[in-house]
Amino acid sequence: LAMLRWCLEGPAAERLLAFAISAQWCCSVPTARAMAKSADFLFANEPEIVELAEQVQQHDGDGSSAALEGDSDAAIVAVARWKERGWVIVTRGSKTVAALQAGAREASKPLHVPVPSIPAEEVVDDVGAGDSFMGGFLAEVWRRLAASGGAPAGQADPATSRSGSREVSRSPRRSTTVASAHRGAAMLSEADIEAAAKIGILAAGQCLRCTGCQFPIAAT
């Protein structure tokens, strides 16, 4: 609860917030669901988003009684309809990255960004691939918000916190408001999210080709 208050009411309230589910069991924790609901960027894999959607239907209500039956697209729509703001970003292994903005209608369909195949002989280690995706994604999101003037004042660089939640910046607060910070995420279009996903996929691909998430000096 202290972490939730700090993120939503304390010093981090004026920052864009990214939150990663990290494990299916986290979806049964009310505080984790509250973080997921409020995050500007919610990251999950397929099993995690399905579990979160089921927990939301069971405990929180999302305005839908549709059966999920393991359907990750249906789960993404259910979670996006339930969320207060921001985007739902779901990694689907070697298939696609799916994304949908909060407030989606029941008939909405997620955006799918294809993941280029990597020859099996080039895969060295998958440790850190998910974190690499999120880092690349958020770096491109921040670049686009800064270029368009949508980044809150006083936040110049992306950074990652030590927990499952990820602040987009740690720099000192200035005169920005909570509303202006979260409006930045709403300014992003599907084209912005697709571009960010492609950068995240590129970062994850480089990670998969290295041992222990050690990136090469010059990535191609």
Side-chain angles (χ1 to χ4, degrees):
L1 289 176
M3 181 177 69
L4 180 62
R5 291 194 198 97
W6 188 83
C7 288
L8 302 182
E9 301 172 10
E14 296 177 0
R15 323 252 179 125
L16 292 172
L17 176 68
F19 183 73
I21 297 295
S22 300
Q24 285 177 261
W25 65 264
C26 295
C27 301
S28 63
V29 180
T31 302
R33 292 200 303 275
M35 290 283 286
K37 187 173 186 176
S38 299
D40 296 285
F41 302 100
L42 171 64
F43 293 96
N45 60 26
E46 282 190 285
E48 290 163 355
I49 200 67
V50 171
E51 179 66 24
L52 178 59
E54 290 175 349
Q55 291 290 331
V56 165
Q57 286 185 339
Q58 181 179 352
H59 298 289
D60 303 325
D62 72 327
S64 170
S65 58
L68 300 175
E69 298 179 349
D71 183 344
S72 61
D73 273 11
I76 292 168
V77 172
V79 171
R81 296 184 68 220
W82 162 76
K83 272 181 62 58
E84 293 177 348
R85 59 174 176 257
W87 290 83
V88 180
I89 313 296
V90 177
T91 53
R92 304 177 68 241
S94 61
K95 296 178 288 187
T96 66
V97 170
L100 190 62
Q101 192 168 17
R105 297 180 180 179
E106 194 163 5
S108 299
K109 294 183 178 180
L111 166 73
H112 281 276
V113 182
V115 175
S117 61
I118 299 176
E121 61 271 18
E122 293 184 17
V123 177
V124 177
D125 189 355
D126 64 356
V127 172
D131 289 333
S132 298
F133 169 81
M134 288 185 281
F137 180 96
L138 291 173
E140 178 62 12
V141 159
W142 195 253
R143 187 190 71 78
R144 286 171 175 265
L145 285 176
S148 67
Q155 299 183 37
D157 301 300
T160 302
S161 71
R162 295 181 180 178
S163 66
S165 59
R166 289 168 170 79
E167 292 176 66
V168 176
S169 173
R170 290 177 182 270
S171 52
R173 289 190 298 166
R174 296 183 184 174
S175 59
T176 182
T177 65
V178 176
S180 67
H182 300 300
R183 193 159 53 239
M187 291 171 59
L188 295 166
S189 66
E190 279 199 354
D192 293 320
I193 296 299
E194 180 177 3
K198 288 180 178 178
I199 296 298
I201 291 167
L202 176 64
Q206 291 296 326
C207 177
L208 288 169
R209 293 176 169 90
C210 303
T211 300
C213 200
Q214 297 298 311
F215 285 87
I217 295 175
T220 56

